[in-house]
Amino acid sequence: MSQHEDDALPPAPQPQHERVWRHPSELGFAAHTLRVEQRADIGRTGRGLLLFSLVAGSLLLMGLVIIVQPRTAETDAVGVIELTSRSVEVVELERENGAAPMAMVLGDGTYLVTTWAAVDSATDETFMTIDPRDGRRRTANIVHVDEEMHLAVLRVGNGNDTRIDTLPAMAKVAMGHRVIVADGAGRPFSVGERLDDGLVILDGASSTGSNMTEGAPVLDRFGGLMGLYTEENTEPCFVPIEDVEDLLRELAPD
């Protein structure tokens, strides 16, 4: 073999101790094929899901608490008055002394009910009513006064509505319940004790200078009608709706 042919041959492999790489056959078949099996850590995954569920549940619970948290008295009053205005209709009674007590509309509007104090000391038995929604004015005459029950009934025009005992959705009067006097300002109170003359005290108000509207509906926080506002020796009170209902049943035709 010539010198030229010797130069064309590939070099001989380097000995193992002179190179940094290793052939698979030198490492062994087991070492070449060994793979570390990665198994799912079920315990760790389960704990992660549990933690996520607890966090998500806590956030949902906090959101629910915020939603159902009682609102301020002012926002409660606005919401209740807006809700109740669809079922409880009132008119204002024009008085010579400048006062404007309220009367609640019954049935189709032929009859009105208000407190006795709202019509007390009137020079005659005729009033001019004003609808606060559109300003319409109509004449109403007193047809019944019950001083013991602190109530008065008026009739608008010459109608003869047989549904005089038709009342909006009522709420049971219970001591401690939160109520609102729906006279526009929407002042909040709580139901106090019942007096000997049948009136129910409104707690949480100054006994003087209340400046609230006589005959205004007294509502619970869900819009249920609980009575009509009045005063007893300047003490804020209301005529309970049960008494209003009893009187109207007596006056209703058979």
Side-chain angles (χ1 to χ4, degrees), residues 89 105-112 138 154-157 161 163:
E89 297 183 33
V105 177
L106 302 172
D108 64 355
T110 301
Y111 284 94
L112 311 172
R138 302 178 68 183
L154 298 86
R155 184 174 61 200
V156 178
D161 183 14
R163 295 179 298 165

Side-chain angles (χ1 to χ4, degrees), residues 13-30:
Q14 291 180 319
Q16 181 177 350
H17 65 278
E18 293 182 2
R19 48 188 166 81
V20 295
W21 56 272
R22 295 290 183 269
H23 191 273
S25 61
E26 298 173 344
L27 298 174
F29 180 79

Side-chain angles (χ1 to χ4, degrees), residues 147-151 173 191-202 226-228 230 232 237-244:
E147 295 184 23
E148 291 185 0
M149 299 187 74
H150 309 276
L151 292 170
V173 177
V191 177
E193 63 178 343
R194 186 158 185 164
L195 302 176
D196 293 337
D197 60 0
L199 296 178
V200 180
I201 293 178
L202 289 173
M226 300 190 74
L228 301 176
T230 189
E232 176 84 351
C237 304
F238 68 94
V239 182
I241 192 60
E242 292 91 341
D243 292 355
V244 178

Side-chain angles (χ1 to χ4, degrees), residues 106 149 153 164-167 170 241-254:
L106 302 172
M149 299 187 74
V153 178
I164 188 174
D165 57 343
T166 302
L167 286 168
M170 297 178 290
I241 192 60
E242 292 91 341
D243 292 355
V244 178
E245 186 179 26
D246 290 343
L247 176 63
L248 297 180
R249 283 178 177 173
E250 292 178 7
L251 299 178
D254 296 333

Side-chain angles (χ1 to χ4, degrees), residues 36-253:
V36 178
E37 184 179 2
Q38 298 294 336
R39 298 182 179 179
D41 190 344
I42 298 177
R44 183 176 181 181
T45 303
R47 289 191 297 272
L49 290 175
L50 178 60
L51 179 61
F52 174 79
S53 300
L54 290 175
V55 172
S58 300
L59 292 175
L60 290 174
L61 182 59
M62 290 175 61
L64 181 61
V65 169
I66 293 174
I67 292 174
V68 302
Q69 187 175 9
R71 301 178 298 175
T72 63
E74 182 178 355
T75 55
D76 271 344
V78 172
V80 169
I81 292 174
E82 289 180 353
L83 174 66
T84 311
S85 62
R86 304 170 188 171
S87 58
V88 179
E89 297 183 33
V90 296
V91 295
E92 296 176 355
L93 301 179
E94 193 175 66
R95 295 290 304 268
E96 294 178 354
N97 59 4
M102 287 183 174
M104 187 171 62
V105 177
L106 302 172
D108 64 355
T110 301
Y111 284 94
L112 311 172
V113 63
T114 187
T115 60
W116 170 74
V119 300
D120 182 32
S121 72
T123 56
D124 55 41
E125 296 183 349
T126 301
F127 290 84
M128 186 65 68
T129 68
I130 305 173
D131 191 327
R133 296 172 298 180
D134 55 16
R136 185 175 58 171
R137 301 165 65 89
R138 302 178 68 183
T139 301
N141 299 308
I142 298 176
V143 295
H144 185 82
V145 172
D146 192 321
E147 295 184 23
E148 291 185 0
M149 299 187 74
H150 309 276
L151 292 170
V153 178
L154 298 86
R155 184 174 61 200
V156 178
N158 298 318
N160 188 26
D161 183 14
T162 59
R163 295 179 298 165
I164 188 174
D165 57 343
T166 302
L167 286 168
M170 297 178 290
K172 185 177 180 180
V173 177
M175 190 171 179
H177 281 187
R178 293 175 58 193
V179 296
I180 293 170
V181 178
D183 61 352
R187 297 174 179 85
F189 301 95
S190 60
V191 177
E193 63 178 343
R194 186 158 185 164
L195 302 176
D196 293 337
D197 60 0
L199 296 178
V200 180
I201 293 178
L202 289 173
D203 289 333
S206 172
S207 60
T208 59
S210 57
N211 195 30
M212 285 179 285
T213 305
E214 185 74 34
V218 176
L219 315 169
D220 70 0
R221 61 194 184 96
F222 300 107
L225 181 62
M226 300 190 74
L228 301 176
Y229 177 81
T230 189
E231 293 183 1
E232 176 84 351
N233 298 324
T234 70
E235 182 80 17
C237 304
F238 68 94
V239 182
I241 192 60
E242 292 91 341
D243 292 355
V244 178
E245 186 179 26
D246 290 343
L247 176 63
L248 297 180
R249 283 178 177 173
E250 292 178 7
L251 299 178

